[in-house]
Amino acid sequence: MNTNVCPTDGRDSLGALIGMVRGEIVRAIESDLAAQGADLKFTQFHMLKRLAMLGPMSASELARAVDLDGGAMTRQLDQLETKGYLRRQPHEQDRRALRIELTEAGEALWRHLHESNVATLERAQRSLSAEERERLHDYLERVLTSLREKD
């Protein structure tokens, strides 16, 4: 009896391959963070990166940007706030909402970690030519757009 639910050509599926690549990137970044003495996990690093790149945002916007649910986001925000890397500020237009922003310490940490992050992503792509890197980026953006489109 054949137990293969989905026969393949012996290659990993797109989903499995993307998952494995993400896992390796996470491990490499966490290893670099530890080597630099940064007491952060990947998710916290990703939150700092999003705030550094996109600027202040609401907790729900940040949660979407790093793919966290509300409870997990609150715990991560609490930890990063305790470490002094971000703060919750009242929203300018909505008194009920808060904006999350980096503190000076958070900005300094991001500047310190940024080069390491770039080097890790460069290492991940070292076997690709400049043209292949562009194509890979384009393909992944198109896949993401397709998945986000509503039928």
Side-chain angles (χ1 to χ4, degrees), residues 16 22-23 73 104 108 129 131 134 136 142:
R22 183 189 186 283
M73 174 56 63
E104 286 183 28
S129 69
E131 182 181 328
E134 279 296 315
L136 175 61
R142 288 166 44 194

Side-chain angles (χ1 to χ4, degrees), residues 30 33-34 38-42 44-45 48 80 83 85 109 113:
E30 285 187 341
L33 291 169
D39 182 26
L40 298 174
K41 290 295 185 190
F42 175 78
Q44 293 172 332
F45 167 80
L48 295 178
L80 288 170
K83 292 176 183 183
Y85 297 138
L109 178 63
L113 298 175

Side-chain angles (χ1 to χ4, degrees), residues 3 6 11 19 22 29 33-35 42 47-48 51 55 60 66 119 133-134:
T3 58
C6 182
R11 296 170 57 178
R22 183 189 186 283
I29 289 173
L33 291 169
F42 175 78
M47 291 169 65
L48 295 178
L51 288 168
S60 59
V66 298
R133 290 175 188 207
E134 279 296 315

Side-chain angles (χ1 to χ4, degrees), residues 36-135:
Q36 294 184 54
D39 182 26
L40 298 174
K41 290 295 185 190
F42 175 78
T43 299
Q44 293 172 332
F45 167 80
H46 196 200
M47 291 169 65
L48 295 178
K49 181 177 181 176
R50 286 285 157 229
L51 288 168
M53 306 287 282
L54 302 173
M57 62 184 78
S58 71
S60 59
E61 290 168 330
L62 184 56
R64 276 192 302 278
V66 298
D67 197 26
L68 283 181
D69 64 51
M73 174 56 63
T74 299
R75 286 187 299 279
Q76 297 299 328
L77 289 173
D78 289 346
Q79 290 173 14
L80 288 170
E81 192 171 38
T82 297
K83 292 176 183 183
Y85 297 138
L86 60 79
R87 67 178 150 257
R88 295 167 168 112
Q89 294 287 99
H91 192 285
E92 306 83 41
Q93 287 97 22
D94 184 350
R95 294 182 317 182
R96 299 166 297 166
L98 295 172
R99 302 287 284 169
I100 311 302
E101 62 183 38
L102 292 178
T103 61
E104 286 183 28
E107 289 175 11
L109 178 63
W110 169 248
R111 283 191 301 276
H112 175 70
L113 298 175
H114 175 68
E115 285 186 34
S116 173
N117 179 242
V118 170
T120 298
L121 297 177
E122 179 65 29
R123 225 173 31 248
Q125 300 176 81
R126 69 179 163 228
S127 67
L128 302 177
S129 69
E131 182 181 328
E132 289 170 327
R133 290 175 188 207
E134 279 296 315
R135 284 197 320 248

